[in-house]
Amino acid sequence: MLRTIKSFLLVFAVVLFAQSCADRLDLQPEDNRLSADAAFEDPDAYKQFLAKIYAGISLSGQEGPAGYPDLAGLDEGFSNYLRLYWKMQELTTDEAIIAWNDGTIHDLHNQVWTSGNEFIRTMYSRLLYQVALCNEFLRQTTDGKLDGRGVSSELRTEIQTFRAEARFMRALTYWHAMDLYANPPFITENDPIGAFLPPQIQRADLFNYVESELLDIMDNMAAPRANEYGRADRAAAWMLLAKIYLNAEVYTGTSRYADVITYTNNIIGAGYTIPSIPYFHSFLADNDSNGAEDEVIFTIPFDGLRTQAFGGMTFLTHAPVGGSMDPSEFGINGGWFGVRTTPTFVEKFPGEENSNDGRELFYTDGQNKDILTVATFTDGYAIAKYRNVDVNGNPGSDTTGDHTDIDFPMFRLADAYLMYAEAVLRGGGGSMGTAVDYINELRVRAYGGTSGNISQADLDLDFILDERARELYWEAHRRTDLIRFDQFSDNGVWQWKGGVQSGTTTDAFRDVMPLPATDLGINTNLEQNPGY
């Protein structure tokens, strides 16, 4: 899949150019520019286009690592989808804080952002760009288009699977938009191209759309674990459904916990396993082959030679390294002295930095637990979760030490186990005994035995929220979790929340991000979210 990305970039640019011209004038170009149909004369172009959609999360532009960005207005490395999404989900919480003073980045952790925040604006733009990619793929693969190009029946069958995957990727993007911005602009392949102001969709309506899309594509998705590595299959669609159902009460006001049980059961029965390897192996450079892949339901692949960008896993490996940390132990050429964690997160682990829980990966040499000065990297414990070395300590494929081979586990079985347990506790059905068994399977891996096991009496919602932090930290779940548990804004305190060292609560309207002021000034169909 990675090899197809670069060769598609020119094809994609040609398709968009030709399509936009054709919508304005029914003329053929007099020079050598390709039309959209000519661009798809190569049957491989369809898969190459799909590869660009998947790469929309990992890459930031057309050349890599920089030089021809997808988006203008922010440094290309900063504008990467995964890097931005991670910042929205982690820097706004107790799990992460950043030393840098780039623009308004501190406003994220401080929870004092405005509609002019450039990181919030660029995340919004990245989401809309990703939706546009998916929409264009669907426009270019209608029956009418395929008939006109004389596409073979064999390729048509494959394209139907591609279309289902493109719709999955669009649903994933709209879930992120729904979760972050609540009421974003809404556009599909049926809307016009060009000078068009998209209508605004309300959160509950977008929930219904995402749900209906996922249900509709299910039969055309590959069976669980039957697709190419890095491509979505039916289990990924089940997981996304379970995610929106878990948060349905936030999104729509109506709980759907019984549906969480249904779809997590589907996933758990699909052959994924918690591997018998140490927890930290799941975040190494060979996590596509060291056994960690047996747990992963949907991954974002990275390759130090083929997916070079200064966002994604390059950011998540370099930015947390600083102070006395040795970059060579992380398989990189240097640390960026940026991200570390707060005392509130440290205290989730019994024994803190001396915990018997193997998921505790704090680096404390020369680091202070308390954060007196945000800009000082050594204030706050560092986290050594992502390391660009294999299980034997060998560095990744990029010998310069810039880019990493670590794949990002967007959905994995441990999350499904925890979602099942939470849904049981919230009255969705299922079995408390089974929920405890699932939790203990994770804790056996964490503790290397049964010493950390819990009983049914230990399992409550407070435990689930803390266990999700211990198991899934820095995997872009925390903001959504805290909001669901009502601990993000007007409840829950950690250092520097609210812009004060001891931390303070903030207004509840911050559970939703603002629509960017720049878009409100252009699109008269949009109304700002309350509080902004």
Side-chain angles (χ1 to χ4, degrees):
M1 194 68 174
L2 294 172
R3 292 182 178 88
T4 67
I5 293 170
K6 189 171 182 179
S7 60
F8 174 71
L9 300 178
L10 177 60
V11 174
F12 176 69
V14 167
V15 168
L16 287 187
F17 178 84
Q19 183 72 30
S20 61
C21 288
D23 283 349
R24 289 167 174 78
L25 297 171
D26 188 18
L27 299 173
Q28 291 295 320
E30 295 182 1
D31 57 20
N32 292 323
R33 291 194 302 270
L34 290 174
S35 67
D37 287 339
F40 283 99
E41 286 180 357
D42 181 356
D44 291 338
Y46 295 98
K47 189 172 185 180
Q48 290 165 356
F49 197 152
L50 183 66
K52 171 61 179 176
I53 292 171
Y54 280 108
I57 296 181
S58 58
L59 298 179
S60 54
Q62 314 306 311
E63 291 184 356
Y68 189 6
D70 293 329
L71 302 175
L74 193 67
D75 175 87
E76 184 173 342
F78 280 71
S79 72
N80 170 263
Y81 190 126
L82 181 57
R83 179 169 172 169
L84 286 164
Y85 184 64
W86 190 92
K87 287 176 179 177
M88 298 298 112
Q89 291 289 88
E90 297 290 352
L91 287 184
T92 57
T93 77
D94 56 348
E95 287 189 354
I97 192 167
I98 196 164
W100 307 339
N101 195 29
D102 298 294
T104 58
I105 197 167
H106 284 171
D107 291 355
L108 297 178
H109 188 85
N110 293 351
Q111 293 196 8
V112 296
W113 55 75
T114 70
S115 61
N117 185 285
E118 65 266 42
F119 298 95
I120 293 172
R121 180 187 71 240
T122 310
M123 177 80 262
Y124 174 93
S125 298
R126 176 59 72 177
L127 293 170
L128 297 183
Y129 175 79
Q130 184 75 356
V131 167
L133 290 180
C134 298
N135 287 342
E136 186 60 23
F137 181 86
L138 295 171
R139 290 188 187 103
Q140 293 297 330
T141 54
T142 62
D143 287 340
K145 290 283 189 182
L146 300 181
D147 288 342
R149 296 173 190 148
V151 173
S152 69
S153 59
E154 182 179 1
L155 180 55
R156 278 174 180 265
T157 300
E158 192 173 15
I159 288 171
Q160 293 312 304
T161 301
F162 294 168
R163 284 177 60 86
E165 291 178 46
R167 290 171 69 185
F168 167 83
M169 293 297 288
R170 182 173 61 182
L172 176 70
T173 305
Y174 269 134
W175 170 51
H176 291 160
M178 173 173 64
D179 188 72
L180 290 167
Y181 301 98
N183 311 300
F186 180 70
I187 188 168
T188 73
E189 72 275 20
N190 299 316
D191 290 305
I193 297 173
F196 166 70
L197 296 178
Q200 186 170 29
I201 190 169
Q202 296 303 299
R203 200 180 214 180
D205 295 328
L206 186 52
F207 175 96
N208 291 336
Y209 173 79
V210 171
E211 178 189 28
S212 65
E213 280 287 282
L214 292 169
L215 292 172
D216 193 53
I217 65 175
M218 204 66 71
D219 290 343
N220 287 322
M221 297 291 284
R225 303 176 61 82
N227 212 342
E228 285 182 276
Y229 183 80
R231 287 173 60 187
D233 58 23
R234 200 171 301 146
W238 290 337
M239 190 70 168
L240 185 47
L241 277 170
K243 284 287 184 186
I244 68 168
Y245 292 143
L246 186 67
N247 295 284
E249 197 163 4
V250 173
Y251 301 150
T252 71
T254 302
S255 65
R256 298 285 295 272
Y257 298 115
D259 292 312
V260 177
I261 298 293
T262 296
Y263 285 97
T264 52
N265 274 334
N266 286 352
I267 295 160
I268 292 165
Y272 301 94
T273 59
I274 301 298
S276 299
I277 59 174
Y279 174 82
F280 76 92
H281 282 193
S282 292
F283 312 99
L284 297 180
D286 58 349
N287 65 347
D288 62 339
S289 59
N290 67 15
E293 72 277 10
D294 293 340
E295 179 187 356
V296 176
I297 298 159
F298 182 56
T299 190
I300 308 301
F302 285 86
D303 183 291
L305 300 178
R306 297 193 182 97
T307 54
Q308 295 189 344
F310 288 109
M313 297 311 300
T314 296
F315 165 75
L316 286 178
T317 310
H318 285 266
V321 174
S324 64
M325 303 168 82
D326 182 355
S328 67
E329 294 184 2
F330 294 81
I332 55 176
N333 55 18
W336 294 354
F337 290 72
V339 185
R340 60 265 196 231
T341 196
T342 73
T344 301
F345 177 66
V346 172
E347 291 160 6
K348 302 295 181 190
F349 289 89
E352 299 184 4
E353 71 272 25
N354 298 309
S355 181
N356 291 324
D357 188 331
R359 298 170 296 190
E360 178 267 291
L361 298 173
F362 301 129
Y363 183 93
T364 61
D365 186 17
Q367 303 288 131
N368 303 310
K369 179 182 170 184
D370 283 318
I371 304 169
L372 298 181
T373 306
V374 173
T376 301
F377 179 82
T378 51
D379 277 5
Y381 285 170
I383 288 181
K385 183 165 184 171
Y386 298 110
R387 298 171 60 228
N388 187 39
V389 295
D390 65 18
V391 294
N392 297 312
N394 301 308
S397 60
D398 179 12
T399 57
T400 71
D402 276 335
H403 304 289
T404 73
D405 293 339
I406 310 164
D407 296 341
F408 183 78
M410 183 164 282
F411 296 151
R412 59 187 180 94
L413 182 61
D415 191 6
Y417 279 178
L418 290 161
M419 292 164 66
Y420 176 93
E422 182 180 338
V424 170
L425 288 166
R426 293 187 185 274
S431 162
M432 280 288 288
T434 300
V436 170
D437 289 343
Y438 289 157
I439 298 296
N440 283 337
E441 189 175 345
L442 301 181
R443 292 176 73 82
V444 165
R445 172 172 63 178
Y447 283 82
T450 60
S451 63
N453 282 15
I454 65 166
S455 68
Q456 192 165 312
D458 299 314
L459 187 58
D460 58 22
L461 287 174
D462 288 340
F463 175 88
I464 287 290
L465 181 59
D466 288 349
E467 189 72 0
R468 287 187 64 82
R470 288 184 287 263
E471 178 68 33
L472 300 170
Y473 65 94
W474 283 26
E475 295 178 48
H477 299 285
R478 187 60 169 170
R479 173 188 161 276
T480 301
D481 288 348
L482 288 174
I483 290 170
R484 188 172 65 256
F485 282 81
D486 193 25
Q487 294 295 313
F488 180 71
S489 54
D490 55 344
N491 292 300
V493 173
W494 50 85
Q495 286 187 1
W496 293 103
K497 179 183 175 182
V500 296
Q501 194 275 335
S502 59
T504 188
T505 57
T506 59
D507 291 325
F509 71 80
R510 295 197 180 277
D511 287 355
V512 172
M513 295 292 185
L515 302 180
T518 50
D519 209 23
L520 288 168
I522 296 170
N523 189 347
T524 54
N525 293 326
L526 302 180
E527 290 186 14
Q528 182 59 278
N529 290 322
Y532 297 104

